[in-house]
Amino acid sequence: MGKKVLVVDDEKSIVEILTLNLKNEGYTVCEAYDGEEAVRKAESEKPDLILLDVMLPNMDGFSVCKKIRETSSVPILMITAREEEVDKVLGLELGADDYVVKPFDAKEVMARVKAVLRRTKGENEASHEDKKVVVYDKLEINIANYELKVNGVQIDTPPKELELIYHFASNPNLSLIHISEPTRL
């Protein structure tokens, strides 16, 4: 059985698009259309990930996120039309793991779902997968926490780019192209 995703949005068309794409990727989906229902379903359904709109009836997505964080560390990916930096920062500070602005591309959302689930494995899985940290020159890459530091300063890096940097730093002598003879142009 695939991982379970709770989709929370008051726009039925958005829920339908996300549900269709998630099911096509093999996920089990449950749905909620307002903030109070989202909190109830997060408790009863125990999803592996929550896709959460911010502008919801009865309780906004920021309040839902805060309420869920009181009892759960389930990954939360906010999907909203609120694109101001202050909203993104607030969502992330309240406990969201990622933030996608509407209108969105369904393929990007699916990629972010996979990335968040990959980064936030269950407690037991993460415990026997000790922190994977690679130090190379002035870089420190912690793939378990998806953190990149350059000269001790943390740099925000998209997940795919961080994975590439981690791979290259882990294999510094790996040649991408092997040319046995010089080529002539």
Side-chain angles (χ1 to χ4, degrees):
M1 179 183 280
K3 299 230 180 230
K4 187 186 295 184
V5 179
L6 171 59
V7 177
V8 184
D9 200 304
D10 59 330
E11 293 180 53
K12 189 173 171 77
S13 60
I14 299 287
V15 173
E16 288 173 353
I17 289 167
L18 291 170
T19 297
L20 177 67
N21 281 278
L22 288 162
K23 286 184 175 180
N24 285 341
E25 293 288 332
Y27 297 99
T28 302
V29 180
C30 50
E31 303 166 352
Y33 296 91
D34 68 57
E36 291 175 357
E37 182 183 17
V39 172
R40 282 194 307 275
K41 287 211 173 170
E43 291 173 4
S44 65
E45 297 287 336
K46 304 285 188 231
D48 297 294
L49 174 83
I50 300 173
L51 298 179
L52 177 62
D53 186 19
V54 172
M55 295 182 278
L56 294 168
N58 299 331
M59 181 188 294
D60 69 45
F62 294 132
S63 299
V64 170
C65 183
K66 187 175 179 182
K67 183 74 174 163
I68 289 170
R69 281 291 170 255
E70 291 174 5
T71 59
S72 175
S73 62
V74 62
I76 298 173
L77 196 158
M78 293 192 140
I79 299 179
T80 179
R82 295 177 70 161
E83 61 185 35
E84 288 78 31
E85 185 176 335
V86 67
D87 293 320
K88 293 177 186 178
V89 170
L90 178 60
L92 294 169
E93 285 182 350
L94 288 173
D97 296 277
D98 202 351
Y99 198 100
V100 176
V101 177
K102 293 177 186 176
F104 57 81
D105 179 276
K107 290 178 189 172
E108 178 187 357
V109 174
M110 293 306 106
R112 287 177 182 266
V113 163
K114 291 175 187 174
V116 168
L117 286 171
R118 194 171 49 243
R119 286 193 310 263
T120 57
K121 292 180 181 171
E123 306 265 288
N124 293 336
E125 293 177 60
S127 64
H128 60 77
E129 184 186 315
D130 295 326
K131 287 187 177 181
K132 293 184 177 182
V133 179
V134 172
V135 177
Y136 181 79
D137 197 24
K138 298 175 182 178
L139 301 175
E140 180 181 317
I141 306 108
N142 183 329
I143 198 70
N145 296 336
Y146 275 72
E147 293 176 346
L148 170 65
K149 291 183 182 177
V150 178
N151 289 327
V153 177
Q154 187 163 334
I155 307 294
D156 287 331
T157 310
K160 273 294 170 213
E161 282 83 345
L162 187 104
E163 290 171 5
L164 283 170
I165 294 167
Y166 176 81
H167 174 74
F168 290 131
S170 299
N171 303 288
N173 296 322
L174 179 66
S175 173
L176 292 177
I177 303 173
H178 178 72
I179 301 173
S180 57
E181 295 181 22
T183 56
R184 295 178 191 199
L185 300 176

